[in-house]
Structures are given as structure tokens and as C-alpha cells.
Amino acid sequence: MQAFDQSKANLRRVPPKWWIAVTYLVLVILSNTFPIFSAVEKQSSQNPIFVPAFDYKDDRVIPTEKQIPIHANFYGFDQNNSAGDKPVLVYIHRVPWDSRGNQFCADLAKSGKVAVVEPYLPGFASSYGSVPSHSMEANAQVVAALLEKRGIQKYHLLGQGLGGVAVLELTNLHRDRVESVTLLSAPGVQAFELLGNPLVNKIVYGFQGAFFWGVARLTPNFGAADLLPWDRDYAKTVFDTDLSENKKLLDELNRPLLIIHGDSDLLTPVDAARYTAKLIPSARLKVYHGGRDVVFEQKEVVAGEIVDFTTNLPKLSPPLPSSNPPIPHAIGMHYWMLLLFIIVCTFVAEDPTCLASGLMVSVGIIDFWSATVACFVGIFIGDMTLYMIGRVFGRQALGRAPFKWIIKEHKVNQWAGWFSTPKGMLVVVSSRFVPASRLPTFITAGIMKLDLMRLGLLLMVAALIWTPPLIWLGYKFGDDGMRLLHNFKSNAVWIIVGVLVALHILTHWLVPSLTWRGRRQIVMKVRGFIQPSLWPSWIVYFPIRVGIIFLTLRHHSLTAFASANPSFGRIGGFIGDAKSLLLRPFQRDSRCCPHIALSLEDKVEERLKEAQAFAVCHGYPLVFKPEVSEDGAGLRYIKNDEQLNRWVGNAKEDFILQKFISGLEFEVVWRRNPGQDDGHIMAIVQKNDIVVMGDGEQTLEELIWLDEFAVSRAELFIQCHARDLNKVIPAGQKVILNLSGSYGHGARCLHRPDLNTPALVQALTTLAKRFPALHYARFDLRASSEEELKAGRFLMTSVGGCCHVSSLVRDESLRFSRSYSQVWQQLKVCLDAGAHNLKQNVRPVRLDELMARWSQANGRSDNFVVSEE
């Protein structure tokens, strides 16, 4: 029962976000391994026909060695699978697949005048597995191979929606077999499809496919994502299909053509059907009242029209001289849908939408001023919406998704200093002309509650200045540029990646290099790339964590390292152990920093009384530390009674108060051989402050960017000092940028083996004898000078136990290989001590408690909130 209660207590220690993350990960794995839902099998009861799969590369359809099963329904065929004298209609479904197509094929065959073949193509159903290409060009070849195997030599083609592209491709490949073509709500010339340009459309469909891939694979949907009509298969089919060749295929069709379309089709406007009819004078155009589903809504009338057309083919008119009728302007519902589409797109990407609208203007489907008004309205609505989010929700918006992922509170503090100046409005307006700065700037303006009417007027003027030139650029140069890129359409994915990389380089490297602050930011970024000591902690310490796992497996115990210090804390001093428990064995030693541990189990009045008595005894400032934290997370400096009462009274977790100790800070890794009365220092690291000195002219932010040491971690220091960045530092005044001796707060780590003296070893070994079972520890020490430390005179501010390796990897002067070799040796010593103690029948540490406390320490979100101001 006691073990069960202990397990429950350990589970309660795990932060909720860790539970959510682990649960989500497990559900995603189960979803991908055991899907509950599956796409409906679109197949007949007959056996499938195996045909070669085809790939579409570099404008060519290439057969592959892969054989894929194709199912098909046959309507109106006799028992010998013969259509007799009846015309054979081949119906190619639209994408996404619609089960109503089955009934439509059956209705066509009911007349008794035609036979119908209804193939199910790769990409129309995920159950077919992966195929080289989902494109309609490749699918056309699959249909041809299917008909060839069934011995059908002559046929009439019906293509609905995107299936019309496969029909045109199939006609182009096998003109001698195709007797007529019918397009049912099918796309025509590229100008009428989405944004009217093949490359721009591929970008849209590429992002759509990536989104649905993420929904299908990275969410616990258990296969339900495959039931969505516009899923990743749909996006891939449209992405792989080249609609830019439609006009050429239509020009060369030379077959009887029937076009059936709805007058209110929102996806493919009726203008596309009318334009196709102009390209082919002999085409028969039938426009019915209805939308995208007009074929199904009026299936009896449409089926009768198709049967009549295929059984009484009209005579072909002689081809006209090659001419391109002008693209008609969008009118009616199509016009308003385009404007709405532009407005919505500005909410996602303003500048690309303006350029794409310019392309639509160059095509002729929409006029310049309509595109300008739509872009302006969308941009202005988006700007004011961001402002109102900041104004209504205030700083609370910064803690909510998705804004907490984009905007950091220290950035708001920094911008708040700018907005408080007389030029604050201009700072907001100028962000209109700086990509990637608008969202955080406008939300901050709302948080600062800048004047709504004045700001709205300025944003309106800025949008009017910015929008027309972008649209004009797209109109003037976009068509020529896209025509050039058309030659590389098969590499559309790489073009998209290249454009994104180029935009990143332009906005994050080239544009910032035009200012001195931007050039210093580039210095910071370059150092962050090339100096391993500046890499993020999850990268730097990943090999160390792998090393711990490797060594524990070698000793056949996942918690062997935690037994290096039996009964030291709860888990041998590992990450997550309570600080007061680790300091308790040394608190009677005068070299241990005075401290007091306060628990939430005590009443607030009792905590305040003890804290105030501690403050009277030791004076201010005091150091406030959470009991469970790592790398300085949650540390505060308390400077007066008001702050003390506030932090102690509002505490949400157990904490300790310590006397503030000035002087130099050092980190010492010490070990003792199991079963022996000795002691050794394995590493000494000095934690140096990063200091800038004022000159009476530069602000604190400018001093940070100009300092050669501070610039390496300038973003961190700006985050810690966000409220003081615009202060001009008086001449001669020093400002310490790191607010604690932790590397996480900016302290500079230097390997100091020269400080390892016999006197220091003796002093630490004597201190460690306060706890005889201590075999491995990392001490944080303060000393007034290096000489005092060498002489063994110091004060200990904190101590860590097993696997608390030194910060050697953060010393930029050391080779990474040398740092890791020493850290590896420290891990090995810790693991060997733990394994030795386990052999002596020391009680092993429970894995659940170890992981619970580790996750509690690493699940914090207040790593850099260290400044009380």
C-alpha cells in the first residue's frame, strides 16, 4: 500500500504538459499503427486487373516496373464481357471521389443504348497504397492499359472535375481510339483555376498537401483523416497534375466535344466552360442551373444528353486559324468569390497574396483596382484584428496559442519602450514595410492601448501606400517571371523551397545587414552556429543523456547512477531533487550558505512570519529559489519587504530563501572512491559575470549589442533586461547582464584547473564528510577571490548529486572533444559508484520517482524570469 501511495505521489509530480505530450505521442503511434477507420474500398466485386503503374516526370509519362491492381465496374456488358454494337463510355471520377458517380454510371447504362466502364484510379482511394504518381497524366495511361486488357478498342470519354484532365491526356495519347469527349464540370484553361498560374497553384496545393499529411500522420485520428473529401490524396493528385497544358490539349482536341456545367459552380466557374467552347467552335455547351454537383442533381437530364450525344455524334467543324480569345473578366458570383478568396488569403500571407493578385490582373480575370481594394480590405481588417486582440485580451493573449509561440513577453516589454515615445505611432506604421514584424507589433500596440482612431487612420494610409505597388509588380513582371519558371515546373517543390530560403535570407540576413544593430545580430547568429558551446541545451546535452543510458544498460540497471549517493536527497541528488534536502546534511557547517526551506503545507501566515524573521537576521537582498528547478529556473532576487511578502504569499510551490552571497562563483565536481576515505576534484569551472559599462550616451540595448562578449547571447540579455533596454546608462556605471551565476542566465563558463589545490581538495573533502555516503557531487561555491578559493575558504550556495556534470561543454575556449571526454569520465565515476553500492545491497531508487522528479524540474516554463522588476 505504501508503494502504491508513493507511486501516486510521484505521478502527481509530473507537470500536466508532460502528461499531455506523452499521451498525445502514444495516441499518434497507436493511430498510425492501428487505424480504426479506413477509406471505403472503391472496387467492384470482380477481380482486379493488374496494369503497369506510371510516373510523370519532366512532362513525360514513364512506365514503371510496378504492377498495381485496378478495380472497375462494367455496366451494360453481356455475360461474355462484350458491349456488342453499343458505344462504350469510360467515366473517370472527379477528385475527391464521390460515391454518387456509381449511380450516375448505372443511370447512363439504363437507357440500353450505351455500355459504361467505371475505373477506380490510383490516388482515388488510399487502400491502393503508394503509386509513383497521382497525376492525371499517369492515370490516363492506367485507364488506357485497363481498356487494352479488356479488349476495348473504341470508346467515348467522360471526365468529371479533375478527371477531365485525364480525359484530355488520354485523347492526346490515343486519338485513334477516342471517338468523343465529354467534360462534366471539368477545369479548362489554367487562368480560371484557383490563382490562374501553374506555379502559384502548385505552391497552394503543396501547402494543402503538407497540411493534410500532418493531420493524417501527426494527429491521433485513427484513419479518420482519410475520410476527408479534400485529403492529402486529393492535394497530391492536383499537385502532380499539370493543368498548364490544358489549353494546348484543347486546341489540338479535334474530337466531338460536349461540355456540361453548372451556372453557379464555385470551384470551376462557368466562364471556364464558356471559354473552352470559344476555343472549339464545334463544341456543344450545356449550362444547367446548379453548382458543382449539377451532374448528380440533374442526373436524368444530363444522362439523357450524354447518351444522345454519344449515339448521334455531331460533325466536326473545320479548325479555325489559331487564335486566343481574350480571357473574360470574372463576373457575378465568380467575381465576388475571387474577392473573398483574396481577402482570406491576406490573413495568412499579405505580400504573396498581393503579388498573386497582380498575376490574376495580368491574366485578365480581374481588374487592377478590384484586386487592390480586396487586398487593402483584407490587410486592414487583419491589422485591426491583431490590434484588437492585444487591446481586449492584454498580456493574457501572450500566454495563449498561437500567439505564445510567436510573441515573447520580453519582446513586448522592449517594444513598449519604443511605443511610449512620441514616435511610437510611426514605429507601428513602419512595421507595415518590414516583413515578419507586423503580427507582434500590432498586438503590442493593442496591449499598449495606442489611440484607436489615430492608429487606424495611419494603418489605412500605410496599407494604401504598400498594396498598389506590390500588385503592380505582380501585374508587370509576374507573368514574365512565371513564364520563365514554367520551364522548370517539374521542379516546383524545389522552387518553393528555394523561394522560402531566399525570403528567409533576405528578411533575416540581407535586410538586417543594412543597419549596425542588424550586423551585430548576424554576428550573434553566426557565433550561435559555429560555436558548439552556444548551441541549445537539448543539443549540447543530448550526447550526455545518451551516455547515461548507455552506461546504465551496461550496469543492468536504469537507475544505477542514483545509487551513487545513498539517502542523499530522495534520488541521490539527481535533477529534480529538493534543494533543501540536499543542503540539510551541511547546514550545521559554517561554510554552508544560510537558508530556510518553506513549504506550502504551512499556512501563509506562518511562512510570512518565518521569512520575515530570516530577512531581519540576514538582511536584503535575499535569493528566492523553487525547491525543484534546474539551471536557475524560477530564481528571484528579493530586495525589500514588499517583494518578500508578495513572493512568499503568492508562492505556488515549495521554495527556499537564501542569504545573498557576493563574490566570485565557481562550480566544482568532486568525487570519493567507494569504501575509501578520500576525495578528488574532477573539474573546476568559474562562472564569470558579463558586464557592460555605460558612457552616458548609449542605451543598455546598444551596449549589449556593442559588447564583444555580450553579443554572443544578446537575445538572452535583452530578454532578461527588457524593461531597461531604452535607459541611457550613466558614464562609468556598470551593469551586470547575467542575473545569476547560471549559464542559463548568461554567465560565462571558464575551465579553471589551475585553482585545484590540495587545500581546496581538503576543504571540500572535510565538508563532504558531513554526509559519509556522498560519493559524487557538484558544489556551487562563492569566494571573495581566487586566492581565497585556493586556500579552501568559501561558502557553498547549492549542491547537486549524481549526474550533475560540470559546465565544461559551455567553455568556448575548450575543444568540444576534450570537454565531452571529461564529462564522460564524470558520468563513468558516478555510475561506477552507484553500481558498487548496489552490490552492497543498497536500496535502488525507484524509476517512477526518478522520472517524476526529473520531469518536474525540466517541465518548467520560467527559465529566464529572474528579474523582480
Side-chain angles (χ1 to χ4, degrees):
M1 189 65 181
Q2 184 178 2
F4 177 74
D5 293 339
Q6 181 63 44
S7 297
K8 287 176 59 178
N10 293 333
L11 293 178
R12 285 195 296 268
R13 290 182 178 276
V14 180
K17 70 177 184 180
W18 284 77
W19 281 117
I20 294 172
V22 171
T23 302
Y24 187 86
L25 181 61
V26 170
L27 288 175
V28 168
I29 294 174
L30 292 175
S31 174
N32 286 276
T33 307
F34 307 104
I36 298 174
F37 306 96
S38 61
V40 179
E41 290 284 354
K42 306 170 185 63
Q43 60 187 42
S44 69
S45 58
Q46 303 174 14
N47 293 327
I49 299 174
F50 284 84
V51 299
F54 293 84
D55 200 358
Y56 183 68
K57 292 183 179 179
D58 301 326
D59 297 338
R60 293 183 299 115
V61 180
I62 305 171
T64 67
E65 297 180 357
K66 186 175 183 179
Q67 294 281 323
I68 57 175
I70 297 298
H71 295 267
N73 288 330
F74 296 88
Y75 305 89
F77 288 79
D78 58 26
Q79 294 181 350
N80 297 321
N81 294 326
S82 173
D85 296 332
K86 293 183 291 187
V88 177
L89 277 60
V90 180
Y91 172 78
I92 301 182
H93 280 272
R94 70 184 186 184
V95 182
W97 183 87
D98 195 312
S99 60
R100 290 175 292 179
N102 300 91
Q103 186 59 47
F104 179 68
C105 291
D107 291 338
L108 285 171
K110 278 181 183 178
S111 65
K113 298 179 180 180
V114 298
V116 182
V117 180
E118 180 194 16
Y120 298 104
L121 301 179
F124 282 24
S126 60
S127 57
Y128 289 131
S130 60
V131 291
S133 174
H134 283 67
S135 72
M136 283 303 177
E137 292 87 348
N139 281 338
Q141 290 280 28
V142 170
V143 173
L146 172 69
L147 296 173
E148 179 73 24
K149 283 207 170 187
R150 284 301 302 258
I152 301 173
Q153 300 299 320
K154 298 287 185 178
Y155 40 83
H156 302 260
L157 296 177
L158 281 68
Q160 185 176 9
L162 200 62
V165 182
V167 162
L168 294 177
E169 290 288 344
L170 186 53
T171 304
N172 182 57
L173 293 170
H174 300 283
R175 294 183 181 277
D176 56 329
R177 299 185 180 183
V178 178
E179 296 186 298
S180 74
V181 173
T182 299
L183 300 178
L184 308 172
S185 302
V189 177
Q190 177 76 33
F192 295 95
E193 200 260 338
L194 203 62
L195 295 177
N197 183 271
L199 182 61
V200 176
N201 290 345
K202 276 189 178 291
I203 294 175
V204 175
Y205 288 123
F207 280 112
Q208 179 186 357
F211 171 77
F212 279 108
W213 182 91
V215 170
R217 291 290 176 262
L218 304 179
T219 64
N221 61 87
F222 291 92
D226 291 333
L227 305 180
L228 298 173
W230 285 280
D231 61 0
R232 65 187 188 277
D233 283 328
Y234 166 79
K236 182 167 177 55
T237 300
V238 183
F239 183 87
D240 288 348
T241 301
D242 184 10
L243 275 73
S244 64
E245 296 294 329
N246 277 15
K247 186 176 184 303
K248 178 182 177 183
L249 295 176
L250 287 167
D251 285 336
E252 301 173 354
L253 185 61
N254 195 27
R255 285 291 180 274
L257 175 63
L258 173 62
I259 305 173
I260 295 177
H261 219 90
D263 59 2
S264 57
D265 192 328
L266 299 180
L267 191 59
T268 301
V270 69
D271 290 341
R274 294 190 177 116
Y275 188 80
T276 302
K278 288 182 180 181
L279 291 175
I280 305 174
S282 62
R284 182 187 298 180
L285 174 62
K286 294 292 182 179
V287 178
Y288 295 96
H289 181 67
R292 189 71 176 163
D293 295 332
V294 67
V295 174
F296 303 137
E297 293 167 353
Q298 304 191 36
K299 59 183 179 181
E300 292 83 4
V301 178
V302 172
E305 184 69 38
I306 294 173
V307 171
D308 179 66
F309 174 75
T310 54
T311 55
N312 300 283
L313 292 178
K315 293 183 179 180
L316 290 175
S317 301
L320 296 176
S322 179
S323 62
N324 292 320
I327 299 292
H329 284 300
I331 59 175
M333 182 61 70
H334 182 210
Y335 172 80
W336 293 110
M337 288 300 298
L338 276 178
L339 295 187
L340 179 61
F341 183 74
I342 292 173
I343 291 174
V344 172
C345 285
T346 59
F347 299 156
V348 180
E350 297 174 354
D351 296 346
T353 301
C354 291
L355 295 173
S357 299
L359 282 173
M360 297 174 69
V361 173
S362 67
V363 171
I365 200 169
I366 194 171
D367 64 277
F368 179 85
W369 292 113
S370 295
T372 301
V373 170
C375 289
F376 166 76
V377 170
I379 289 173
F380 183 72
I381 291 175
D383 293 349
M384 296 309 297
T385 300
L386 294 175
Y387 170 83
M388 292 307 300
I389 289 174
R391 188 179 183 93
V392 173
F393 295 102
R395 287 183 178 266
Q396 295 178 355
L398 304 180
R400 300 179 181 179
F403 303 108
K404 66 179 181 180
W405 304 330
I406 305 172
I407 311 172
K408 301 302 181 184
E409 188 168 1
H410 76 280
K411 285 290 186 183
V412 174
N413 296 333
Q414 178 182 354
W415 292 323
W418 299 344
F419 297 162
S420 62
T421 65
K423 298 180 180 179
M425 286 287 187
L426 295 179
V427 172
V428 180
V429 174
S430 64
S431 67
R432 161 58 45 205
F433 310 101
V434 181
S437 68
R438 297 160 194 167
L439 187 149
T441 305
F442 295 154
I443 290 183
T444 304
I447 292 174
M448 297 300 297
K449 292 183 169 55
L450 299 186
D451 184 76
L452 176 60
M453 296 301 295
R454 184 182 173 197
L455 180 64
L457 180 61
L458 288 174
L459 290 178
M460 186 181 297
V461 172
L464 286 173
I465 294 174
W466 183 246
T467 304
L470 278 181
I471 297 177
W472 182 84
L473 285 174
Y475 161 71
K476 192 68 176 177
F477 304 105
D479 193 42
D480 293 336
M482 291 300 164
R483 194 177 297 113
L484 178 63
L485 290 174
H486 178 74
N487 299 327
F488 306 98
K489 60 188 175 184
S490 59
N491 297 315
V493 174
W494 297 112
I495 292 175
I496 296 171
V497 173
V499 169
L500 294 177
V501 171
L503 287 174
H504 177 81
I505 292 174
L506 175 66
T507 57
H508 290 76
W509 295 84
L510 296 182
V511 173
S513 67
L514 300 178
T515 64
W516 73 266
R517 181 183 279 104
R519 289 190 289 272
R520 299 301 288 173
Q521 289 176 337
I522 291 175
V523 170
M524 177 189 68
K525 293 177 183 178
V526 171
R527 290 185 181 179
F529 283 130
I530 65 176
Q531 289 186 10
S533 61
L534 296 174
W535 291 349
S537 294
W538 67 271
I539 295 178
V540 171
Y541 287 99
F542 178 76
I544 296 175
R545 290 167 180 167
V546 171
I548 293 175
I549 296 175
F550 174 79
L551 291 172
T552 55
L553 293 177
R554 195 178 73 175
H555 288 289
H556 307 291
S557 173
L558 291 176
T559 62
F561 57 85
S563 299
N565 305 315
S567 302
F568 184 58
R570 294 284 303 181
I571 50 175
F574 186 59
I575 297 171
D577 229 336
K579 292 181 172 63
S580 61
L581 285 179
L582 302 181
L583 289 171
R584 183 176 298 172
F586 312 102
Q587 60 186 356
R588 295 184 181 276
D589 195 299
S590 60
R591 290 168 293 187
C592 181
C593 175
H595 66 278
I596 181 175
L598 299 174
S599 172
L600 293 187
E601 295 179 357
D602 301 327
K603 295 181 179 180
V604 176
E605 295 78 11
E606 295 179 3
R607 296 203 306 267
L608 286 172
K609 184 177 179 180
E610 291 187 50
Q612 290 165 356
F614 186 82
V616 170
C617 180
H618 298 286
Y620 293 107
L622 298 176
V623 181
F624 176 101
K625 294 180 180 180
E627 277 278 26
V628 178
S629 66
E630 187 69 15
D631 206 15
L635 182 146
R636 301 293 193 285
Y637 294 110
I638 297 179
K639 301 178 181 178
N640 51 51
D641 289 337
E642 186 273 331
Q643 293 178 6
L644 179 68
N645 294 334
R646 175 151 48 90
W647 281 107
V648 173
N650 297 331
K652 304 297 182 183
E653 58 186 325
D654 297 345
F655 62 93
I656 65 172
L657 290 176
Q658 277 188 323
K659 178 181 179 180
F660 176 77
I661 306 298
S662 60
L664 303 179
E665 183 164 354
F666 303 90
E667 172 190 281
V668 182
V669 175
W670 175 92
R671 73 174 179 88
R672 174 192 288 134
N673 290 317
Q676 300 183 22
D677 187 18
D678 60 357
H680 307 275
I681 292 179
M682 301 191 70
I684 300 178
V685 174
Q686 184 174 357
K687 306 289 190 67
N688 285 348
D689 293 333
I690 305 297
V691 181
V692 294
M693 182 174 294
D695 58 4
E697 298 179 0
Q698 309 281 354
T699 64
L700 178 58
E701 182 186 5
E702 291 169 338
L703 293 174
I704 291 173
W705 286 116
L706 290 172
D707 187 82
E708 281 304 313
F709 289 112
V711 70
S712 298
R713 306 189 71 190
E715 286 290 352
L716 170 63
F717 297 136
I718 287 174
Q719 181 174 351
C720 292
H721 298 272
R723 300 179 186 273
D724 301 325
L725 293 177
N726 296 303
K727 289 183 179 179
V728 175
I729 307 303
Q733 179 177 326
K734 294 182 179 180
V735 177
I736 300 176
L737 299 180
N738 55 293
L739 298 180
S740 79
S742 165
Y743 175 83
H745 296 151
R748 189 182 181 198
C749 300
L750 294 175
H751 183 37
R752 295 298 305 274
D754 56 300
L755 300 179
N756 189 352
T757 62
L760 179 59
V761 173
Q762 181 61 35
L764 278 176
T765 302
T766 303
L767 178 66
K769 284 184 178 179
R770 293 277 183 180
F771 195 84
L774 186 66
H775 296 96
Y776 179 92
R778 189 182 73 184
F779 297 98
D780 289 341
L781 309 178
R782 287 272 186 172
S784 57
S785 66
E786 294 180 7
E787 287 68 25
E788 289 288 294
L789 182 72
K790 289 181 180 180
R793 292 186 287 271
F794 54 79
L795 282 177
M796 181 185 68
T797 57
S798 66
V799 60
C802 55
C803 291
H804 274 73
V805 296
S806 67
S807 301
L808 289 172
V809 291
R810 294 300 189 179
D811 185 351
E812 66 271 15
S813 64
L814 291 179
R815 291 198 312 270
F816 225 36
S817 59
R818 180 184 175 189
S819 301
Y820 272 120
S821 65
Q822 293 200 33
V823 169
W824 182 267
Q825 185 63 30
Q826 295 168 21
L827 291 176
K828 188 175 181 300
V829 166
C830 180
L831 266 294
D832 288 344
H836 176 272
N837 289 331
L838 288 176
K839 292 178 181 179
Q840 305 303 314
N841 296 321
V842 170
R843 181 180 63 87
V845 176
R846 292 167 55 97
L847 180 61
D848 60 338
E849 181 170 10
L850 192 76
M851 297 308 299
R853 292 180 179 273
W854 178 84
S855 65
Q856 183 181 0
N858 285 272
R860 306 181 63 92
S861 58
D862 55 356
N863 289 19
F864 302 110
V865 187
V866 295
S867 175
E868 167 58 20
E869 290 77 23

